Amino acid sequence: MDHQYYHYLSANDEDGGGDITDPRNNPKDLATQLVISASLGLGAFITFGFLRPRWSSLYAARKKQRATASSLPNLPDSFFGWIPVLYRISEREVLEAAGLDAWVFLQFFKMAIKFLSIASVLAVPIFSLIHTRFDEAEPILPKYRKPAALDLQSSSSRRDLRFGENPVTKQDDTYLWVHVIFVYLFSALALYLLYTHTLSVIRIRQDYLGHQCTITDRTIRLSGIPKDMRSEDVIKKHVEGMGIGTVESVTISRDWSELDALMKKRSTLLRKLEEAWTVYLRKRQSRKNFDSLPVMQIESPTRQVEVDSEDQPLLNGSLGKGPSTRPQITIRHGFLKIRSKRYDAIDYYTLQLESLDATILEARKKEYPATPVAFVTLNSVAAAQMAVQAVLDPKPAEFVARLAPAPSNIIWRNTYMPRYQRMARSWSISIFIFFLTVIWLVPVGLLAGLLNLKSIRKVWPQLADVLEQSEIASSLVQNFLPTAVLTLLNVAVPYLYDYLSSFQGMLSQADVELSVISKNFFFTFFNLFFAFSVFGTASNMYSVVKDSLKDTTKIAYLLAKSLQGLAPFYINLIALQGIGMFPFRLLDFGSVALYPVTLAGAKTPRDYAKLHQPSVFSYGFFLPQPILVLILCIVYSVLPSGTLVLFFGLIYFLIGYFVHKYQLLYAMDHPLHSTGQAWSMITYRLLTGIVLFQSAMAGWFALRAAFFRALLILPLMATTVWFAWFYRRTFSSLTRYIALRAITDDTGGAGGRGERDGEGRLVETTVDERREVGVGFVNPNLVVPLEKVWLMKFNEVGGETAEGVYSPADAGSASGASSGSSSVTDVRFLLP
């Protein structure tokens, strides 16, 4: 046991334990990292400044296409002029234009900026002085000797190793009291900011939601409905009989899987028909331009559907002259699909679409079996809030009331999925993601550890010799590539987790989004912090877990010992993310890079319309990493490298605040409706980080034989745990529900509002109210109009050909010529 204890504590003294998966083998150069990060960030920012006024359809897509953002001020076209205008946009304007979720997201960045600003001002002058007088890089414990020279059988050797007794020299450790004070100070500061911002979030949330009256706020989701009560009239009578309120409508979720499959098939068929029409119209226009005729005369149509030896037409007539003027489709049939026939693609898909439309209309009239889920809309917000906060039925798991998601966020196919199937999917995918996250540690460790000269020499000595001869190449490999590889991995993995989360059977997109936040944070926290700082290396993970189960204090020792060695790695990571990557996010590099690909793949007017839709802002992708960065800043705030971590952390959140504020207000859409519930997720994870910070400092003191100071951290850890319990008991319900006293009378609320704080009503009409005008809780496949074909229209404008949305009805028939109008028309949704 003593030998294993020595092995963990001394893993970093020599060669990182000789493990190539240890990122602490990298002697990183901060200056090189800053040059690379600044070059990347400056290049992306200059590109953004050049493209923003020219590609307003991308960089101002939300302001142009969403009525909720139309009231925002126009940004100047200059490189830096937009920044002051963006900064002056108030919190009230953010609420009015972007909604509660966006406001909560930006509040987290503002809280982080406050903490890092105060911590930097307090820590930098004091700890800079301490660092110049004392050597904090090494613990006060005696230098660890190699196992061969260490007599582990000697009780005195074990005592010296474990308790830090050094009969030769002992460094003055009085200065460690400053660290104790700052651990208390920064813990109190973090808890205070969490407390005050939670109060602010609750106040704004209650005021915001209490003043709006959407159908979502008045609707509850009932689950566990018995079979004999799965009727709209029975449910309405039962709910009203409990005295909660008047029921306006009841929507029972039924097994509409058949109808969903038909609508999905129709969407695929519609796209094929639009592609066929686009191919034909472009070919016809090309022939028209080639003939140089002002008007193309089309002969009377004689439909020739099949072009092989069998001349039976599918429909009467054909457009154009001969089989070559219209696209063809080959249909295989018969035994083993050996025989084949070629048909006119437009006629074939049109007939298929007409037949499918008739089937869908009939399917909409059918009665489908009811499921145990129903959406009940009440006459007031207060009635809905009372229902979800009460126990409605004495039988377990029956008539369980929950807040209903927004109608546009409901995943209807999951509402008629059996409950046991949803639970099985949820648990199986969660367990799979857990093991997948642990497995990621192996490639992460290999990639991070191999990118240094020591490890490269063990695997490829010739390459190491080449790198040693070039300072630029060597610096690039050792300083930039490790953090760049992990950055790319953090970009790719969330897409996988988002895809897997969509199969967990959750009933709304907002629930999926919150789940993605949790999963992606677990990935980043485990692989970028916990694994490297506690396990040390991928190969050492098993032995650490096994011995930690016997002695839990070892986690604190390992954490404290490894943090200083990992400090350059995390400083480089934060610098790259903040200075180098945030400008790329502002540039929306993914959309810019993929635009030529999507443009080349666009065929139909519907494809071109999608090119101009705003990108979607995913909180599950953008929130986990800032939480981890703030945790790193808190953990390192009192350690020797804390001043640099705090400095670059502050830069990270300052740049990130402006980048995300611009995206949320002007560029990207965020249609989800989670009423700011991400704040609780942020709080609990930050509290976990604060406990880790305190545990690491307790181990840091113990490694320096300051055991009394280490014991003084224990009451602070208990206080933090108590604060988490206090938060859950006091604030949890207010971050999920609306207090009856906060609901105004005009929404049918309880009335009798208390004294206001002088701000008055925050918004006259909220984003959610404008978004939910005219919507209801009904499966869209039951009521949505069947989309018609979008086609191109070619008009002669000043002797040139312009493309627009084409409708065959303009010419009176599918074979009609262009009407020759002087402008591009916008006629859609007409079947040929």
Side-chain angles (χ1 to χ4, degrees):
M1 179 63 68
D2 292 330
H3 176 72
Q4 290 175 341
Y5 184 82
Y6 156 79
H7 173 72
Y8 294 143
L9 292 183
S10 60
N12 301 327
D13 289 347
E14 298 295 334
D15 190 45
D19 196 323
I20 63 174
T21 65
D22 191 348
R24 287 165 289 192
N25 287 330
N26 295 333
K28 298 179 177 61
D29 182 5
L30 180 59
T32 304
Q33 179 70 23
L34 288 178
V35 170
I36 296 175
S37 299
S39 301
L40 290 173
L42 185 61
F45 183 79
I46 292 175
T47 305
F48 169 77
F50 175 79
L51 294 179
R52 185 176 64 86
R54 293 166 176 80
W55 288 8
S56 59
S57 60
L58 173 64
Y59 295 113
R62 186 173 184 274
K63 177 173 171 55
K64 284 189 170 185
Q65 301 184 30
R66 299 294 181 263
T68 55
S70 59
S71 61
L72 292 171
N74 295 319
L75 299 180
D77 292 338
S78 59
F79 264 73
F80 301 99
W82 60 274
I83 299 178
V85 178
L86 183 68
Y87 174 76
R88 288 193 294 267
I89 296 178
S90 64
E91 293 185 359
R92 172 171 178 165
E93 291 176 297
V94 172
L95 279 171
E96 292 177 348
L100 189 60
D101 293 322
W103 180 85
V104 166
F105 183 86
L106 295 177
Q107 282 298 303
F108 165 65
F109 274 77
K110 294 181 71 173
M111 182 187 70
I113 292 172
K114 289 181 182 178
F115 174 84
L116 295 173
S117 300
I118 298 173
S120 299
V121 171
L122 295 175
V124 170
I126 296 177
F127 284 108
S128 297
L129 180 62
I130 292 177
H131 298 162
T132 58
R133 294 198 58 185
F134 300 95
D135 182 15
E136 296 182 289
E138 295 295 338
I140 295 177
L141 290 175
K143 280 283 187 177
Y144 303 119
R145 289 164 289 180
K146 293 183 179 181
L150 184 64
D151 184 9
L152 294 177
Q153 302 300 322
S154 170
S155 60
S156 61
S157 296
R158 292 197 303 268
R159 182 173 64 254
D160 292 345
L161 178 62
R162 299 189 61 128
F163 298 101
E165 296 180 6
N166 191 343
V168 181
T169 59
K170 185 175 178 64
Q171 181 177 324
D172 182 17
D173 62 353
T174 306
Y175 73 95
L176 293 178
W177 285 106
V178 178
H179 293 75
V180 175
I181 295 173
F182 271 86
V183 172
Y184 271 81
L185 180 61
F186 286 165
S187 296
L189 176 62
L191 294 177
Y192 172 76
L193 290 176
L194 275 176
Y195 177 78
T196 55
H197 278 76
T198 298
L199 291 179
S200 177
V201 168
I202 289 175
R203 178 176 58 84
I204 297 298
R205 182 182 184 277
Q206 295 291 324
D207 197 18
Y208 182 90
L209 298 178
H211 277 91
Q212 73 176 16
C213 181
T214 66
I215 189 172
T216 301
D217 298 318
R218 295 184 292 110
T219 303
I220 62 175
R221 173 173 60 87
L222 289 179
S223 59
I225 303 174
K227 290 185 178 181
D228 58 341
M229 300 184 68
R230 295 176 188 176
S231 168
E232 285 81 357
D233 294 335
V234 173
I235 293 176
K236 179 178 179 180
K237 183 179 180 181
H238 181 75
V239 173
E240 290 181 340
M242 289 185 285
I244 298 176
T246 304
V247 176
E248 290 188 355
S249 64
V250 177
T251 299
I252 295 181
S253 178
R254 300 179 181 274
D255 188 0
W256 291 302
S257 55
E258 177 187 346
L259 181 60
D260 293 343
L262 291 174
M263 292 296 290
K264 183 178 181 180
K265 181 179 178 181
R266 187 185 191 278
S267 178
T268 303
L269 189 60
L270 183 66
R271 175 174 176 79
K272 291 181 178 179
L273 179 57
E274 289 177 344
E275 290 178 357
W277 267 108
T278 301
V279 170
Y280 166 68
L281 292 174
R282 289 188 183 279
K283 184 183 298 185
R284 188 179 69 173
Q285 185 62 28
S286 299
R287 187 176 62 182
K288 177 179 178 181
N289 294 337
F290 180 78
D291 293 339
S292 300
L293 295 176
V295 178
M296 188 177 188
Q297 301 296 329
I298 304 296
E299 297 180 359
S300 300
T302 56
R303 304 241 174 177
Q304 182 70 28
V305 180
E306 300 183 27
V307 295
D308 60 356
S309 57
E310 301 180 19
D311 296 329
Q312 296 297 327
L314 179 65
L315 297 175
N316 291 328
S318 177
L319 182 59
K321 301 177 180 180
S324 62
T325 61
R326 291 164 67 95
Q328 307 296 313
I329 181 176
T330 301
I331 303 297
R332 296 190 175 276
H333 61 94
F335 180 71
L336 297 179
K337 305 293 183 180
I338 296 177
R339 300 184 61 190
S340 65
K341 293 182 181 180
R342 297 192 67 196
Y343 295 94
D344 181 287
I346 295 177
D347 288 338
Y348 178 82
Y349 289 133
T350 299
L351 182 63
Q352 292 289 318
L353 188 64
E354 291 174 350
S355 175
L356 186 59
D357 286 349
T359 304
I360 290 175
L361 293 177
E362 289 297 323
R364 287 180 171 181
K365 300 176 183 178
K366 294 173 58 177
E367 187 73 18
Y368 295 92
T371 68
V373 178
F375 297 93
V376 180
T377 302
L378 301 170
N379 65 328
S380 69
V381 178
Q385 291 296 319
M386 287 188 290
V388 297
Q389 299 180 54
V391 179
L392 303 185
D393 199 276
K395 296 181 181 179
E398 287 193 6
F399 271 99
V400 179
R402 296 286 186 269
L403 291 172
S408 59
N409 287 347
I410 297 177
I411 307 175
W412 286 97
R413 67 178 182 274
N414 292 339
T415 61
Y416 37 86
M417 184 185 300
R419 186 171 181 269
Y420 72 88
Q421 187 175 346
R422 293 202 304 268
M423 293 183 63
R425 284 193 177 193
S426 178
W427 279 102
S428 59
I429 292 179
S430 297
I431 294 173
F432 174 74
I433 288 178
F434 172 80
F435 284 107
L436 186 62
T437 300
V438 175
I439 292 172
W440 277 118
L441 177 61
V442 177
V444 168
L446 288 172
L447 291 173
L450 280 174
L451 299 176
N452 65 83
L453 290 182
K454 289 182 180 179
S455 301
I456 291 175
R457 186 171 297 280
K458 297 176 182 179
V459 180
W460 195 350
Q462 296 81 2
L463 179 60
D465 294 335
V466 173
L467 293 176
E468 283 185 341
Q469 297 174 3
S470 174
E471 293 185 1
I472 297 178
S474 177
S475 179
L476 179 65
V477 169
Q478 296 181 88
N479 303 325
F480 175 69
L481 290 183
T483 52
V485 168
L486 293 178
T487 296
L488 294 176
L489 189 64
N490 283 331
V491 171
V493 171
Y495 287 95
L496 173 62
Y497 285 4
D498 179 65
Y499 174 77
L500 293 175
S501 297
S502 64
F503 293 98
Q504 284 191 278
M506 298 179 185
L507 300 185
S508 71
Q509 293 291 350
D511 292 337
V512 174
E513 187 85 353
L514 295 175
S515 176
V516 173
I517 294 176
S518 179
K519 293 179 177 64
N520 287 335
F521 174 80
F522 177 68
F523 168 78
T524 57
F525 178 78
F526 183 84
N527 284 280
L528 294 186
F529 177 73
F530 195 78
F532 286 154
S533 59
V534 176
F535 300 142
T537 65
S539 61
N540 204 34
M541 180 173 61
Y542 173 75
S543 58
V544 171
V545 172
K546 182 182 67 175
D547 292 330
S548 296
L549 294 176
K550 302 176 183 178
D551 184 5
T552 55
T553 60
K554 285 186 178 179
I555 293 180
Y557 279 102
L558 295 170
L559 184 61
K561 178 61 182 176
S562 63
L563 284 178
Q564 188 59 31
L566 285 168
F569 176 78
Y570 289 130
I571 292 172
N572 287 340
L573 183 65
I574 296 174
L576 176 63
Q577 293 293 330
I579 302 175
M581 294 293 104
F582 268 142
F584 275 92
R585 191 171 296 176
L586 182 67
L587 178 64
D588 198 1
F589 181 75
S591 299
V592 174
L594 293 177
Y595 183 80
V597 179
T598 55
L599 180 62
K603 299 179 181 179
T604 68
R606 199 181 303 273
D607 295 334
Y608 286 103
K610 291 180 179 179
L611 292 176
H612 298 284
Q613 292 297 316
S615 301
V616 176
F617 188 95
S618 175
Y619 296 99
F621 287 14
F622 298 147
L623 183 57
Q625 187 190 88
I627 298 177
L628 176 65
V629 171
L630 183 55
I631 289 176
L632 289 173
C633 293
I634 294 174
V635 169
Y636 276 95
S637 59
V638 185
L639 292 174
S641 301
T643 53
L644 282 176
V645 176
L646 291 174
F647 174 74
F648 286 107
L650 180 59
I651 293 178
Y652 174 93
F653 281 100
L654 283 172
I655 298 176
Y657 175 78
F658 283 96
V659 169
H660 289 123
K661 189 174 184 178
Y662 178 87
Q663 290 181 324
L664 287 168
L665 295 179
Y666 286 90
M668 305 182 78
D669 199 13
H670 33 94
L672 300 183
H673 176 90
S674 63
T675 65
Q677 293 187 40
W679 182 258
S680 292
M681 304 182 70
I682 295 172
T683 302
Y684 288 127
R685 281 149 185 80
L686 289 181
L687 289 174
T688 302
I690 295 172
V691 172
L692 282 174
F693 160 60
Q694 296 160 354
S695 301
M697 292 309 301
W700 192 79
F701 288 131
L703 285 175
R704 284 151 179 78
F707 296 107
F708 179 70
R709 298 174 181 84
L711 290 175
L712 291 178
I713 305 299
L714 297 181
L716 192 58
M717 297 175 62
T719 302
T720 307
V721 174
W722 171 85
F723 182 86
W725 172 83
F726 170 78
Y727 178 93
R728 183 177 183 85
R729 181 176 180 180
T730 307
F731 300 134
S732 179
S733 59
L734 291 173
T735 57
R736 296 177 57 194
Y737 307 114
I738 308 174
L740 298 182
R741 192 164 174 258
I743 302 173
T744 54
D745 289 328
D746 58 333
T747 62
R753 291 175 60 88
E755 292 293 330
R756 299 298 300 278
D757 57 3
E759 292 187 4
R761 185 167 178 166
L762 286 177
V763 288
E764 293 299 328
T765 304
T766 66
V767 172
D768 300 323
E769 286 178 318
R770 283 171 280 185
R771 184 184 297 161
E772 296 184 13
V773 172
V775 301
F777 284 87
V778 59
N779 189 339
N781 290 336
L782 288 170
V783 296
V784 67
L786 298 180
E787 284 190 294
K788 304 305 179 181
V789 182
W790 290 21
L791 300 178
M792 290 301 227
K793 181 168 186 174
F794 298 87
N795 299 317
E796 295 295 333
V797 183
E800 297 181 358
T801 301
E803 293 188 11
V805 179
Y806 172 82
S807 168
D810 290 344
S813 68
S815 60
S818 172
S819 61
S821 60
S822 60
S823 63
V824 178
T825 60
D826 187 21
V827 183
R828 301 187 291 193
F829 313 134
L830 295 175
L831 271 173

